[in-house]
Amino acid sequence: MSEKWIKTHCARFDHGGCGLEVLVKDGKLVKIRADKTDAYSEGYCCPKGLAGIDRACHPARLRQPLLRRGPRGEGEWEAIPWERALDILVSEFRSAMAGGGPESVAFCQGAPRGLEFFILLRLANLLNCPNVGAAQHVCHMPREQMAAVTCGFFPVPDYDSPTRCVLLWGSDPQRTNEEGILGVRFQKALKQGAGLIVVDPLKSGPARTADLWLQIRPGTDDLLAVGLLHVIIEEGLFDRPFVERWTTGFAELRAAVRPFDPATVSLGTGIPAERITSAARLYAKSRPAMIHWGNAVEHSANTSQTCRSLVLLMALTGNLEAPGGNVKAEAPNVMRPAELICLKQFPGRIDKLPNRTWGLIPRLLTVPNWILFHSILDASPYAVQCLYVQATNPLISCSEADKVLQALLKLDFLAVADIFMTPTAAFADLVLPAATHLEYNDIGHYGLPHGLVFARPKAVDPPGDAWPDIRILNEWGKRMGFGSRFWDTEDRILEAVLEPSGLTYGAFAAKGLLSGPRTHYSYREKGFATPSGKVELHSSLLEQWGYSPVPTVGVHAGTDERFPFLLTSRKPRFFFHSAYRQIESLRERTPRPTVMIHPDTASRLGIAAGTPVRISTVSGSVTQFAELTRDIDPEVIFADFGWWFPERADEMFAWKESNLNQLTGAGGPTDPIMGTVQLRAIPCSIEKAESVPAMKSRTP
Ligand code: SF4
């Protein structure tokens, strides 16, 4: 009998990074626990990470490639061998491209989990296919791109150094160890005495213990940010030597934010004026101070300007590149993403993008998924016939769910690779069984801006015929005629990525992680990587591209008689986006979708706790279950994101019933620079639902 504890890192439950120890006996997963020796997670592991074995050993895992036999969505499948599955992929993509060129095929991925996202981009670029749909426009890219134009790098909170204040904006790092690294370090900073300001419409865990909780009206982050800038400038709380030496455009910024005094900002954000002033003073006077920002700031139609204002707050207070402030996290010495994805092999890529005329989007590596689905539906600017979907379930996770379905049904060929059958996969022609992170060697956090990569060595082989995504892409790429651009086996991909570090994968796995150099005040020698070499408070690049070079405030959603509430949303703690509702140990903790409603609102509408509630917007209606709480404003409704019901396969998983994305889109505003859809602050109505959906308490 062989028995071994294997050290690895969590994945596919978010970007993944918590250190895990996995007990394997005779080639079988037995136990999983947090790795107390891990440098970043320090023995923390959330319930999702601990459910890794429940996921890997789940009876509903896809184990063989499945070819559709009956009409789309009828659930009639034939199990086929991989050779045949790959032949079908090759012939469908080749025949579409023979007629319509590389623009006639497309790819789609959700959050990057490991190397698979980059190998997908590699295949697309080698094919010269511009259509890779993803969610970058609502996740990280608004922050990264606006930081790039303002100061030339993406400023991450510097938890490696002591800090005196954390301004936590649109994030709750106590619910999980966000990205495997942030939650534990946030808690440590508080224990070491850092002050805390929380910007959140919900009285979250951190908000309960914060020095200041700013209960913001959803969608008004841009207004609050310029209000804080106003106080800091008008009260002279900025770092004058830094501003004079290292910024441009102070006078223009000052003029732009002058109208936004605390009283004015209070009217729009719902935050008392004195609290806005106190927050500005606390953040500006507590040097060093950091902004820990979550992707809730990237879910509105004025996202770009919001993100820019937050970078300007870091800059004005002298916290950019300061220890304990927001710093540059240099990537470790591994292959650069641009090389791995063969970016140079696709000259003229930007001119072919379906969204080439859209703001800064052409600077991204992907197309906002909603634009891809619109372009499939409208056959504009070209017809797309084939789509390969990897590690995502856009029918649930992409805005405007009905449009997504129409687009999927319009395709000649749809292939989906996933761990479980999903509503999106159910409409596919070909479904491919993917491996979980415990079943293949991978590199985590690659290409993310945190300046490190984690080793994720495998613990066991995948069940049945499940394959790692990187193997599927590697084998497919070779069959598409790119033999010299792909590798003998997927393990060679890992060796190639690690080559600059001089480490083999085994040596990397033994180390656990690689991090890049951490520097402070590097601008004193090199300047900032902007056209002026300084932090551009007045952005020359935005001006050149035709956008406001100073922060602006957008038009905020208003309520009316028909839609008297503002809808915002949350991601349930025990799932990852739309995934894993079939895992019993997680589902028992959150058995059904809940909508948070203030008790006064509920009683006025005759809604009792735990009863079904119909939520309606101009886009559609869904049903979720009432959770009554005084932690939100009576005019705000918090719905759950990502719901479908794996136990209801005979009803197409009841994918519409509680799906938040039935409520989004429908011609709403989008950020003109990044294409971000309005996902928060949507006017809505609620009422008692007349019928209770047949909700089973246990999954199959
Ligand atoms: S916090 Fe994220 S990385 Fe850590 S165990 Fe949970 S899902 Fe995994």
Side-chain angles (χ1 to χ4, degrees):
M1 176 181 281
S2 70
E3 181 175 312
K4 194 175 177 192
W5 281 98
I6 294 169
K7 281 181 187 285
T8 188
H9 285 93
C10 178
R12 276 185 177 255
F13 283 117
D14 56 22
H15 285 307
C18 289
L20 301 177
E21 291 177 329
V22 184
L23 178 62
V24 177
K25 270 191 197 167
D26 294 332
K28 292 204 167 20
L29 296 165
V30 175
K31 196 170 178 184
I32 200 162
R33 69 185 182 200
D35 180 359
K36 292 194 177 114
T37 66
D38 188 80
Y40 281 85
S41 51
E42 300 180 11
Y44 176 88
C45 178
C46 82
K48 289 182 286 183
L50 293 174
I53 295 180
D54 298 345
R55 176 180 61 178
C57 300
H58 199 284
R61 282 283 301 272
L62 291 168
R63 286 158 193 267
Q64 276 186 291
L66 299 173
L67 182 63
R68 178 170 65 83
R69 272 296 157 227
R72 267 198 180 149
E74 291 295 312
E76 293 169 39
W77 303 99
E78 175 193 351
I80 59 170
W82 271 106
E83 280 301 314
R84 187 151 165 232
L86 290 167
D87 284 348
I88 291 169
L89 275 179
V90 170
S91 78
E92 292 289 346
F93 270 59
R94 278 215 174 121
S95 89
M97 286 165 49
E103 295 86 5
S104 61
V105 300
F107 300 83
C108 191
Q109 155 120 27
R113 271 67 159 187
L115 291 186
E116 83 296 325
F117 176 58
F118 301 91
I119 306 303
L120 184 87
L121 285 165
R122 181 181 182 93
L123 177 57
N125 286 334
L126 289 169
L127 290 171
N128 280 201
C129 165
N131 306 316
V132 182
Q136 289 188 296
H137 60 300
V138 290
C139 187
H140 253 281
M141 275 304 141
R143 281 176 284 169
E144 291 190 29
Q145 291 298 318
M146 288 304 102
V149 302
T150 305
C151 65
F153 69 94
F154 180 64
V156 298
D158 181 21
Y159 283 116
D160 288 330
S161 310
T163 189
R164 293 192 58 218
C165 180
V166 179
L167 171 50
L168 182 67
W169 198 310
S171 176
D172 183 353
Q174 283 178 353
R175 276 164 70 86
T176 63
N177 185 22
E178 194 183 334
E179 296 175 348
I181 54 175
L182 292 173
V184 169
R185 313 182 98 212
F186 165 75
Q187 299 278 59
K188 258 175 119 172
L190 296 191
K191 277 196 193 123
Q192 287 164 0
L196 178 63
I197 306 164
V198 174
V199 179
D200 200 321
L202 172 71
K203 194 172 191 180
S204 61
R208 287 178 198 287
T209 56
D211 296 282
L212 282 167
W213 170 40
L214 308 186
Q215 187 178 23
I216 190 170
R217 195 189 315 282
T220 61
D221 304 70
D222 53 353
L223 180 57
L224 176 60
V226 293
L228 297 177
L229 287 167
H230 171 103
V231 175
I232 288 168
I233 291 173
E234 294 309 319
E235 294 195 1
L237 301 175
F238 53 93
D239 182 334
R240 196 172 295 274
F242 177 85
V243 167
E244 285 174 1
R245 172 69 184 86
W246 289 109
T247 69
T248 62
F250 181 75
E252 291 95 329
L253 174 65
R254 181 175 202 160
V257 301
R258 185 165 289 137
F260 301 106
D261 58 84
T264 304
V265 172
S266 175
L267 287 176
T269 60
I271 303 166
E274 62 278 8
R275 206 162 263 249
I276 295 166
T277 304
S278 300
R281 289 176 183 161
L282 180 58
Y283 171 67
K285 289 180 179 176
S286 312
R287 292 185 202 161
M290 61 171 66
I291 297 182
H292 179 146
W293 44 359
N295 80 341
V297 302
E298 297 169 317
H299 291 172
S300 76
N302 198 30
T303 277
S304 300
Q305 294 292 358
T306 304
C307 294
R308 225 176 88 69
S309 292
L310 294 180
V311 179
L312 299 186
L313 281 167
M314 300 169 197
L316 281 191
T317 52
N319 282 305
L320 271 182
E321 283 219 69
N326 286 83
V327 297
K328 195 189 294 184
E330 303 273 8
N333 191 20
V334 294
M335 183 190 285
R336 298 291 164 223
E339 187 183 343
L340 182 57
I341 68 173
C342 288
L343 199 53
K344 283 194 182 150
Q345 267 63 51
F346 190 0
R349 172 184 165 273
I350 286 175
D351 295 332
K352 293 187 173 175
L353 287 168
N355 49 285
R356 55 188 169 266
T357 55
W358 259 87
L360 294 201
I361 298 174
R363 287 163 60 100
L364 308 187
L365 296 175
T366 59
V367 177
N369 46 18
W370 70 270
I371 293 183
L372 175 64
F373 289 116
H374 273 250
S375 128
I376 292 171
L377 258 185
D378 304 339
S380 169
Y382 33 69
V384 174
Q385 293 161 249
C386 293
L387 175 65
Y388 182 78
V389 173
Q390 171 178 279
T392 187
N393 181 8
L395 212 43
I396 306 296
S397 58
C398 180
S399 53
E400 282 185 283
D402 279 332
K403 281 258 176 350
V404 175
L405 178 63
Q406 289 166 28
L408 296 181
L409 293 177
K410 194 171 176 206
L411 293 162
D412 291 342
F413 177 74
L414 170 65
V416 175
D418 214 321
I419 295 169
F420 295 103
M421 183 62 77
T422 65
T424 302
F427 285 105
D429 301 287
L430 182 66
V431 177
L432 303 175
T436 75
H437 75 291
L438 296 176
E439 298 156 355
Y440 64 101
N441 294 327
D442 198 5
I443 298 175
H445 273 235
Y446 179 79
L448 302 186
H450 297 290
L452 43 83
V453 289
F454 290 114
R456 289 198 194 124
K458 69 183 268 188
V460 294
D461 289 328
D465 262 345
W467 276 16
D469 287 304
I470 51 175
R471 183 188 298 173
I472 301 171
L473 294 164
N474 193 46
E475 295 305 317
W476 183 15
K478 285 188 278 191
R479 283 167 171 79
M480 291 298 287
F482 301 112
S484 63
R485 296 280 182 180
F486 285 87
W487 295 265
D488 294 349
T489 66
E490 65 272 18
D491 279 342
R492 295 251 181 249
I493 305 174
L494 309 172
E495 303 289 354
V497 170
L498 290 170
E499 195 185 340
S501 72
L503 295 174
T504 62
Y505 188 78
F508 171 54
K511 278 173 82 78
L513 66 90
L514 284 178
S515 51
R518 295 289 181 271
T519 55
H520 296 113
Y521 304 122
S522 66
Y523 58 84
R524 289 177 181 168
E525 284 174 22
K526 302 177 190 165
F528 288 93
T530 59
S532 61
K534 297 183 177 183
V535 177
E536 300 205 350
L537 308 179
H538 176 277
S539 167
S540 60
L541 286 173
L542 286 182
E543 184 171 51
Q544 185 186 318
W545 294 329
Y547 301 107
S548 172
V550 288
T552 58
V553 173
V555 177
H556 297 139
T559 54
D560 57 25
E561 211 173 305
R562 185 173 166 217
F563 296 119
F565 302 103
L566 271 188
L567 174 71
T568 187
S569 61
R570 60 178 177 168
K571 296 170 190 159
R573 181 182 175 204
F574 299 111
F575 306 115
F576 179 46
H577 296 175
S578 67
Y580 308 136
R581 279 156 182 83
Q582 55 279 91
I583 298 176
E584 288 208 354
S585 58
L586 299 177
R587 187 71 179 275
E588 277 165 4
R589 291 164 178 260
T590 309
R592 58 192 188 178
T594 55
V595 52
M596 294 166 92
I597 305 169
H598 193 282
D600 296 348
T601 305
S603 104
R604 192 156 51 79
L605 297 173
I607 294 170
T611 58
V613 176
R614 197 86 183 133
I615 313 163
S616 302
T617 68
V618 69
S619 300
S621 298
V622 301
T623 301
Q624 300 196 352
F625 289 81
E627 176 187 339
L628 306 190
T629 175
R630 294 193 180 278
D631 292 340
I632 58 173
D633 185 276
E635 288 181 12
V636 172
I637 303 298
F638 261 80
D640 264 359
F641 167 72
W643 273 92
W644 56 286
F645 303 94
E647 67 273 24
R648 292 166 68 182
D650 47 348
E651 301 167 65
M652 192 48 91
F653 306 113
W655 71 273
K656 288 186 169 199
E657 194 166 282
S658 300
N659 179 358
L660 185 78
N661 277 316
Q662 290 285 330
L663 305 177
T664 58
T670 46
D671 183 271
I673 302 179
M674 297 300 296
T676 304
V677 182
Q678 184 81 23
L679 296 178
R680 314 260 175 168
I682 302 172
C684 77
S685 64
I686 55 168
E687 61 188 329
K688 268 167 76 171
E690 288 181 2
S691 63
V692 182
M695 199 74 64
K696 293 176 188 168
S697 61
R698 295 180 73 79
T699 55

